[in-house]
Amino acid sequence: MNGRAGAVRNRLAPESPAWQNGPLPIEKLDLEAQLMAIAPEQTNTRPRRARAAVTAVERLRLEDVSVFYGNTPAVKNVSLSIRQGEVLALIGPSGCGKTTLLRTLNRLTELTPNASHSGRVLLDGEDTDDIVDTELRRRVSMVFQQPNPFPMSIFDNVGFALREQSRKRPRRRELEPLVDHALQRAGLHDEVRADLNRSALRLSGGQQQRLCIARAIAQEPEILLMDEPCSALDPRSTAVIEDLILQLREDLAIVVVTHNLQQAHRIADRVAFMYLGDLVEAGETEQVFSDPREEQTREYIAGVFG
Amino acid sequence: MASAQPVDSTRPAPPRRRRHGRRSSLRSWRLRDQITFVLAWTVGLGLCAVAISVVVFFAVEGIQYLRPSLLVTHPSASVSQSGSGGFLDAIEGTVLLGAIGLLIAVPIGVVTAVWVIEYGRPRWLGRIVESTVEIIAGTPDIVIAIFGLALFQLGAFSFLSFSEPGGAFGRSFLTAGAMMSFLAIPPVYTATRNGLIATPRQMREASFALGKTRIATIRRVVLPAVRRDIATGSTLGLARIIGDTAIVILLLGATLRLQSDGALGFLSGTGSSLTSYIYNNSPAGDGNAPDKAYAAAAVLLLLVLVLNWGVGRIGRIGGPPIHAERRLGA
């Protein structure tokens, strides 16, 4: 489901009961009923996905991170901790800096010529600026909004990152178990096992996105960044990928940017709400959704602004 | 229709004339639109007529003189047409020129396009490169040919062509092929460049996000994505090479037979191509053997048609290209 559409709907349907009496008495309302009122068709999956309890370990720590495009700050003084065993959802209206923050974590913002940043991002205690960019991006992998498989076979897509660029290219036989394992973890193996030499472009959108996840986790990264991974997908594929995210969080730290509040609620262990470049509030999902500390969070979750 | 089958009476008979919704008729259009409409059709049909008559003319004129033996016998100097042989050397020359030309043009065209689109800094240098390619594309082939003649007659390049102690003649397959590559570089460059522009940025980012360097991304992701564009550009460039006469006459000597000369054997020797063979055998040249010119022209035309057909096929190999949607939208 598209989070943007949901946000627009929120604005277009002010007669819905959830905010008839203003945004204040939210905590008194049943959260699920409220989500129903916001977007009934988005709640056809369980409001909160079942999950295994996992001990959270801090992997990535942001200390006072600001990101600028030219002189314009896009992210202001964000401090945040990202833990393995947890899914962190970055939520907030369009243009609030969620994606910029996400792309800072693996230094993809450096591809934008006028982007710069201050503050520190520590990966297992090591400043990411001190790690060679290619190595950092192997450890902090990323899945994009649009499924973007390479125009090559399924096997080559997953094996892409495993094939070292400078040293001798590993043989296919050496890669096979790794590729199979990645496809299994991404829940795609059963569907594509028959012919791994098929072009990845012939897969469906949901399959392509799972292939991109398999590709991203094939090199066993420590962090997986996901930039609205489901916004281009139908509800069924979305459900499959959400289940997948919850399984993967046991071995990786996962950060998901999403426009879709219902999705954040379904999958996230912790939620960080950003607004105009500021990190307004970060906390446990249930707490942020049912009892936000900040007024802005409360209003955003109630759909006062999109 | 299979008359043996009994007609299924339950199925309604198809209407004799398929009905259309009401449309505006040409008469109701404004005069300006009517004139444009008629002009467009006239010009379009006229072009088709010209193209078809060329093909039909050579199909009739060429094929009637074309004998299989012409394709496999060497030409020879003879006063009688029955003794002057076929044009095997001209076919060999055309193939050789095309191969040498592409061998030089494809790497240059592709690398230039990749640099301009993927790096392109400093900006002013990128702009200069772009206009240089445009200038090459617009330069008449005879100008390229005479430039090549002046260039390769320099002593430093004497090993490339037949040379005497006094200097080089500048005529050989290598020198002609090198100048031919100027004809093929613009189409290769343009096709590759357009392919690169149409390749989504997210695909490059995906590769960067997996820890690949820029050069690895270009090699493993970007170039495979545009290989079809490269093939298309190469085919168009090849068609330009095999259709060119000026460079053959000035830089290849347009001799009757392939001749090995100089240090590099037949590569530094002279020869001819189908185009120069046609010219020399036409009434305009010295041969005055129009039937052989027609036969050679039919072969050349067939070659170009096959290449053009090939360009269309290349676009369809292996499923839709990654940027098919962009293409359709453009």
Side-chain angles (χ1 to χ4, degrees):
Chain A
M1 291 310 293
N2 195 321
R4 241 175 278 236
V8 170
R9 202 176 301 112
N10 295 350
R11 272 197 299 251
L12 292 180
E15 70 279 8
S16 296
W19 48 82
Q20 239 171 12
N21 310 318
L24 283 176
I26 283 163
E27 65 269 41
K28 299 193 180 85
L29 287 170
D30 178 47
L31 185 73
E32 196 174 342
Q34 185 198 331
L35 292 173
M36 288 292 234
I38 291 171
E41 74 275 23
Q42 290 191 352
T43 47
N44 51 7
T45 42
R46 292 159 300 192
R48 195 103 170 100
R49 289 185 176 274
R51 61 196 61 218
V54 184
T55 2
V57 187
E58 183 183 85
R59 299 310 293 267
L60 204 58
R61 184 213 292 270
L62 283 70
E63 289 179 352
D64 215 20
V65 173
S66 300
V67 187
F68 304 87
Y69 291 119
N71 289 321
T72 320
V75 173
K76 301 170 201 161
N77 304 328
V78 169
S79 296
L80 200 59
S81 153
I82 294 163
R83 303 178 196 147
Q84 176 176 330
E86 279 185 352
V87 177
L88 171 69
L90 291 177
I91 59 171
S94 299
C96 71
K98 323 183 278 292
T99 298
T100 297
L101 180 63
L102 193 76
R103 290 163 64 92
T104 307
L105 301 184
N106 64 350
R107 283 167 58 194
L108 265 192
T109 39
E110 288 176 6
L111 297 178
T112 314
N114 64 349
S116 59
H117 75 100
S118 67
R120 296 201 302 169
V121 181
L122 301 172
L123 175 61
D124 292 335
E126 194 181 353
D127 194 331
T128 53
D129 283 340
D130 297 335
I131 305 175
V132 177
D133 52 0
T134 52
E135 194 208 323
L136 173 70
R137 289 174 195 155
R138 256 171 255 156
R139 293 167 65 183
V140 183
S141 204
M142 185 157 176
V143 173
F144 293 80
Q145 182 170 6
Q146 289 289 333
N148 51 2
F150 300 128
M152 46 180 93
S153 72
I154 294 169
F155 186 93
D156 289 342
N157 260 283
V158 181
F160 182 81
L162 298 168
R163 292 189 160 128
E164 291 296 321
Q165 49 224 25
S166 52
R167 276 170 261 152
K168 193 167 86 67
R169 279 163 74 87
R171 297 222 183 117
R172 190 184 164 110
R173 191 169 305 164
E174 300 165 43
L175 286 181
E176 244 159 25
L178 300 170
V179 169
D180 282 345
H181 182 59
L183 285 169
Q184 273 158 3
R185 288 176 73 196
L188 191 62
H189 193 250
D190 290 342
E191 290 159 59
V192 299
R193 148 177 74 189
D195 187 7
L196 291 179
N197 292 321
R198 204 150 45 113
S199 166
L201 303 182
R202 296 196 185 278
L203 298 174
S204 74
Q207 287 175 325
Q208 287 191 355
Q209 192 63 304
R210 276 180 285 152
L211 180 70
C212 292
I213 293 174
R215 188 174 68 183
I217 60 179
Q219 53 197 340
E220 306 281 344
E222 291 147 58
I223 322 279
L224 184 61
L225 310 175
M226 305 180 106
D227 187 3
E228 303 196 38
C230 301
S231 68
L233 304 180
D234 61 273
R236 185 168 303 183
S237 306
T238 301
V240 172
I241 288 187
E242 287 179 358
D243 277 333
L244 183 58
I245 290 172
L246 289 178
Q247 279 164 30
L248 289 174
R249 86 193 213 288
E250 296 168 21
D251 314 309
L252 311 156
I254 297 181
V255 187
V256 180
V257 162
T258 180
H259 263 104
N260 185 329
L261 288 179
Q262 288 73 41
Q263 181 175 57
H265 183 249
R266 284 195 297 266
I267 61 173
D269 299 283
R270 289 192 312 134
V271 173
F273 170 61
M274 291 183 68
Y275 184 59
L276 298 179
D278 287 311
L279 178 67
V280 177
E281 178 165 359
E284 299 288 325
T285 305
E286 294 291 1
Q287 175 257 311
V288 173
F289 272 88
S290 57
D291 185 22
R293 282 190 295 271
E294 302 290 330
E295 187 63 22
Q296 279 173 327
T297 319
R298 192 187 304 274
E299 289 178 359
Y300 180 69
I301 286 171
V304 171
F305 60 92
Chain B
M1 281 270 112
S3 54
Q5 294 284 347
V7 177
D8 186 0
S9 57
T10 58
R11 188 189 283 169
R16 291 176 69 185
R17 209 169 147 270
R18 193 176 291 175
R19 280 178 56 100
H20 286 293
R22 204 179 149 83
R23 291 179 188 166
S24 72
S25 71
L26 187 58
R27 277 162 195 277
S28 66
W29 292 8
R30 276 182 299 179
L31 182 64
R32 200 174 57 186
D33 293 348
Q34 286 180 348
I35 293 172
T36 315
F37 179 84
V38 172
L39 271 180
W41 272 93
T42 316
V43 173
L45 290 177
L47 279 175
C48 290
V50 171
I52 290 170
S53 46
V54 169
V55 173
V56 167
F57 178 79
F58 283 104
V60 173
E61 282 292 318
I63 308 275
Q64 72 173 328
Y65 297 120
L66 189 59
R67 302 278 173 276
S69 61
L70 285 181
L71 299 174
V72 292
T73 47
H74 293 284
S76 55
S78 166
V79 278
S80 76
Q81 281 308 313
S82 56
S84 66
F87 39 85
L88 175 63
D89 288 57
I91 294 175
E92 287 172 352
T94 294
V95 171
L96 203 54
L97 273 183
I100 296 171
L102 278 194
L103 231 53
I104 300 171
V106 171
I108 293 178
V110 170
V111 168
T112 309
V114 166
W115 182 80
V116 168
I117 301 300
E118 301 293 321
Y119 298 89
R121 295 197 201 278
R123 272 265 190 275
W124 56 267
L125 191 57
R127 275 199 294 272
I128 287 178
V129 171
E130 292 233 283
S131 10
T132 308
V133 177
E134 275 164 31
I135 290 169
I136 294 174
T139 309
D141 51 354
I142 187 77
V143 176
I144 293 177
I146 200 129
F147 172 73
L149 202 58
L151 182 71
F152 290 116
Q153 280 177 348
L154 297 175
F157 296 114
S158 61
F159 67 98
L160 291 172
S161 63
F162 177 62
S163 44
E164 294 279 294
F169 283 84
R171 292 176 168 174
S172 76
F173 273 103
L174 284 178
T175 59
M179 286 297 129
M180 283 290 192
S181 70
F182 280 103
L183 298 181
I185 285 173
V188 172
Y189 168 84
T190 310
T192 311
R193 176 181 170 280
N194 292 345
L196 290 172
I197 289 174
T199 305
R201 197 170 53 103
Q202 295 96 305
M203 220 162 68
R204 299 179 176 89
E205 280 192 346
S207 173
F208 293 137
L210 291 168
K212 293 288 172 182
T213 57
R214 188 176 284 269
I215 193 76
T217 302
I218 289 171
R219 232 169 54 129
R220 299 256 175 263
V221 176
V222 177
L223 281 183
V226 297
R227 61 174 187 265
R228 247 163 285 190
D229 302 276
I230 296 173
T232 307
S234 308
T235 320
L236 292 173
L238 186 59
R240 284 202 66 189
I241 292 178
I242 67 174
D244 189 74
T245 323
I247 294 175
V248 178
I249 291 181
L250 265 71
L251 277 170
L252 196 57
T255 52
L256 205 51
R257 287 192 181 183
L258 260 68
Q259 249 145 5
S260 289
D261 263 315
L264 301 166
F266 67 91
L267 286 179
S268 54
T270 54
S272 64
S273 72
L274 281 168
T275 50
S276 72
Y277 182 88
I278 294 168
Y279 170 72
N280 281 336
N281 281 281
S282 72
D286 345 310
N288 207 7
D291 46 345
K292 290 204 171 148
Y294 285 141
V299 172
L300 185 60
L301 192 63
L302 194 68
L303 211 57
V304 172
L305 287 179
V306 167
L307 278 178
N308 279 342
W309 176 78
V311 174
R313 296 293 301 169
I314 286 166
R316 271 171 263 156
I317 296 170
I322 182 88
H323 40 68
E325 308 137 50
R326 295 274 192 96
R327 278 293 160 75
L328 290 173

